[in-house]
Amino acid sequence: MFRNFHFVGLFLLLLVTACQTKTNSTEKLTINDIPLLLDRHPSIQNGEEWDKIQSYYGRSRQEILDNPKAMEPRLNLAYVFINEARITGEHGHYYPAALKMLNGILEHQTLVKDMRFRALAAKAGVQLSLHDFQNALQTGTQAVALNPYNAQIYGALVDANVELGHYDEAVRMADKMVSIRPDLRSYSRVSYLREIYGDVSGSIDAMRMAVEAGVPGQEQSCWSRLTLGHLLEQYRSADEAEKEYQEILVERPDYPFALAALAGLKMKKNANEEAMSLLNKAASIIPEVSFYEQIAELQKKKGDLEAYHKTMETVFAMFKDDEKNGHNMDLEYAKIYTDLQPDYSKALAYAKKELQKRPDNIDVNRRLAIVYSKMGKKSAAEPFFDKASRTHSQHPELLELKQLLASR
């Protein structure tokens, strides 16, 4: 599954000082032309962090109004919007806002090379977040042609190639990235690639390096620790995973993804009331659809079908909103219709749509194998299982699927 590593640490670019780039544009902008910065929930304002973001946004917006020809403040706002999408979960507002700023920059033909590179690199990250992987690869390729010595753009190329199933190329891009800058972002990608190739211990080791390379309490550091926890939970030990999730909450209190991760552990222990409390708290902080999926799963488990159906209405409404704002949700629909609200015909249709876009991706092929298996169509599942297994991934779903197919 795509881990959203492409914009881990993009906020750090807000601190980079660069020369302001001007064009011959004569466009006039008003305050209504600049997307709004939405208020954060108090639980994720994190003290001075939110004050600094608001100040940075206000200053950059004013610079644009004072000089519509200035490109640097537009790029700075795009970085703010990308960062806020991640932290607040308001993807439907912030990703289109970021693209508006970035496309407004890139439409100018007289940009200096560095500004065009940075705008393309940021755009590739947004396209990845929207699951527009083929265009992200094209955008990233344009960017690397302008600057082949920047680690960030190789990260975007790793992500795009992974999602398109070009794993050998992803490894090559990761090697370049690490050689330029061994840091949280590059170690995270090494971890993911090792997991894909079945090296679970190496994946965990690399993610520990990512955590150690980060600044405690920063969102990207907490995300890396969260991913480490998921690896431990999936492959090694729930107790070890819980320690990582709890550590996140020490460093960044009320971090909603850590709350939801702890809720998942509670659900496995049938501590359903504690799990629901954690999930409700997480969902009250940011509108993250996966939290509502967990809530629906728990309601279904408890037999509260009225509440379950109401929550599923919310989930599908959130899916539709994401689609309206340019987010490809086909694989997410396939998962929903396989696991949470079984309708294997619909799951198959969505999975096939995604396969047309990403025929070589092991996650897409694994999903098709799972759907066919649940439909009792072993012969149809096997070729997709074979393709999903070609990297020797040790993913639990893949191992379970192997046993299911062998038993029939």
Side-chain angles (χ1 to χ4, degrees):
M1 177 180 288
F2 184 57
R3 290 181 175 173
N4 291 328
F5 284 138
H6 52 279
F7 62 101
V8 168
L10 268 178
F11 177 63
L12 297 177
L13 293 176
L14 295 175
L15 305 179
V16 176
T17 302
C19 295
Q20 193 176 71
T21 305
K22 297 184 179 182
T23 75
N24 293 323
S25 171
T26 58
E27 67 183 300
K28 301 298 181 183
L29 293 176
T30 69
I31 197 167
N32 292 327
D33 295 318
I34 301 173
L36 292 173
L37 180 70
L38 305 179
D39 197 18
R40 282 191 189 180
H41 188 281
S43 295
I44 54 173
Q45 290 183 3
N46 295 294
E48 294 183 359
E49 179 182 289
W50 178 229
D51 292 337
K52 290 177 180 178
I53 289 291
Q54 292 179 95
S55 176
Y56 195 89
Y57 168 84
R59 186 166 64 252
S60 298
R61 183 180 65 175
Q62 191 59 49
E63 288 174 3
I64 295 172
L65 294 173
D66 291 343
N67 182 9
K69 298 178 181 179
M71 296 294 106
E72 194 73 35
R74 295 187 189 216
L75 184 61
N76 291 340
L77 283 189
Y79 290 152
V80 169
F81 296 148
I82 291 167
N83 184 63
E84 289 302 295
R86 179 183 185 83
I87 291 176
T88 69
E90 296 286 356
H91 303 154
H93 175 76
Y94 282 123
Y95 287 141
L99 286 176
K100 181 177 182 179
M101 293 292 101
L102 296 168
N103 289 333
I105 295 169
L106 292 168
E107 70 184 15
H108 296 283
Q109 301 302 312
T110 56
L111 291 177
V112 298
K113 186 169 72 170
D114 179 65
M115 173 58 68
R116 186 169 296 279
F117 164 76
R118 288 188 288 148
L120 285 169
K123 183 174 181 178
V126 176
Q127 289 171 323
L128 284 164
S129 294
L130 294 172
H131 296 185
D132 187 6
F133 302 122
Q134 188 62 55
N135 282 326
L137 180 61
Q138 294 175 4
T139 303
T141 300
Q142 292 175 39
V144 81
L146 295 173
N147 182 357
Y149 306 107
N150 179 279
Q152 176 199 340
I153 193 57
Y154 286 109
L157 291 174
V158 171
D159 296 336
N161 279 294
V162 163
E163 295 305 323
L164 293 170
H166 307 159
Y167 301 112
D168 290 345
E169 182 65 8
V171 170
R172 194 170 74 85
M173 294 297 100
D175 286 343
K176 284 183 175 290
M177 186 182 189
V178 173
S179 69
I180 295 170
R181 186 163 185 170
D183 63 2
L184 179 151
R185 290 173 290 176
S186 55
Y187 292 141
S188 296
R189 285 164 170 98
V190 169
S191 172
Y192 192 24
L193 286 165
R194 288 179 177 176
E195 182 190 3
I196 286 170
Y197 279 98
D199 181 6
V200 173
S201 294
S203 176
I204 291 172
D205 290 344
M207 191 54 68
R208 288 196 189 280
M209 292 173 68
V211 171
E212 291 168 3
V215 177
Q218 284 192 349
E219 200 278 339
Q220 58 265 32
S221 300
C222 292
W223 183 264
S224 293
R225 191 179 290 279
L226 180 80
T227 307
L228 172 61
H230 288 324
L231 285 169
L232 292 168
E233 180 180 348
Q234 186 161 260
Y235 294 109
R236 189 172 289 178
S237 165
D239 290 341
E240 288 183 77
E242 184 173 3
K243 290 178 183 177
E244 300 298 337
Y245 302 148
Q246 294 288 5
E247 180 61 28
I248 293 170
L249 296 175
V250 171
E251 296 181 0
R252 197 175 179 94
D254 291 335
Y255 187 59
F257 294 100
L259 295 174
L262 286 169
L265 292 179
K266 297 294 184 183
M267 288 172 66
K268 291 177 180 178
K269 296 177 180 178
N270 290 318
N272 295 332
E273 295 306 318
E274 292 179 71
M276 186 63 79
S277 178
L278 289 165
L279 288 170
N280 284 333
K281 185 175 183 179
S284 73
I285 295 171
I286 67 171
E288 167 60 39
V289 68
S290 65
F291 300 163
Y292 290 92
E293 290 176 29
Q294 285 182 270
I295 289 171
E297 180 184 353
L298 185 52
Q299 289 167 335
K300 189 176 183 180
K301 179 181 178 182
K302 294 169 63 179
D304 190 352
L305 296 184
E306 182 178 353
Y308 160 77
H309 288 300
K310 186 175 181 180
T311 301
M312 287 305 301
E313 289 178 5
T314 301
V315 168
F316 284 119
M318 295 174 80
F319 273 31
K320 290 295 184 184
D321 184 65
D322 279 342
E323 287 181 297
K324 183 181 71 175
N325 288 290
H327 195 157
N328 169 31
M329 300 295 290
D330 288 338
L331 189 59
E332 284 70 20
Y333 274 114
K335 292 173 183 174
I336 286 284
Y337 285 123
T338 306
D339 303 323
L340 193 54
Q341 187 167 303
D343 185 329
Y344 300 139
S345 294
K346 287 184 179 180
L348 185 62
Y350 279 111
K352 284 183 174 180
K353 282 179 65 178
E354 192 65 20
L355 187 72
Q356 291 178 344
K357 303 182 190 81
R358 302 192 281 157
D360 296 322
N361 180 273
I362 60 174
D363 293 332
V364 177
N365 280 276
R366 185 176 75 244
R367 180 55 46 183
L368 274 160
I370 290 171
V371 174
Y372 276 124
S373 176
K374 288 183 177 293
M375 296 173 78
K377 298 182 178 180
K378 177 181 176 180
S379 59
E382 286 176 342
F384 296 106
F385 170 79
D386 290 342
K387 199 160 189 178
S389 304
R390 74 183 194 277
T391 63
H392 308 291
S393 167
Q394 300 300 302
H395 194 287
E397 283 186 347
L398 200 59
L399 300 180
E400 181 180 352
L401 186 60
K402 182 179 181 179
Q403 292 179 343
L404 285 173
L405 292 176
S407 66
R408 293 180 178 176

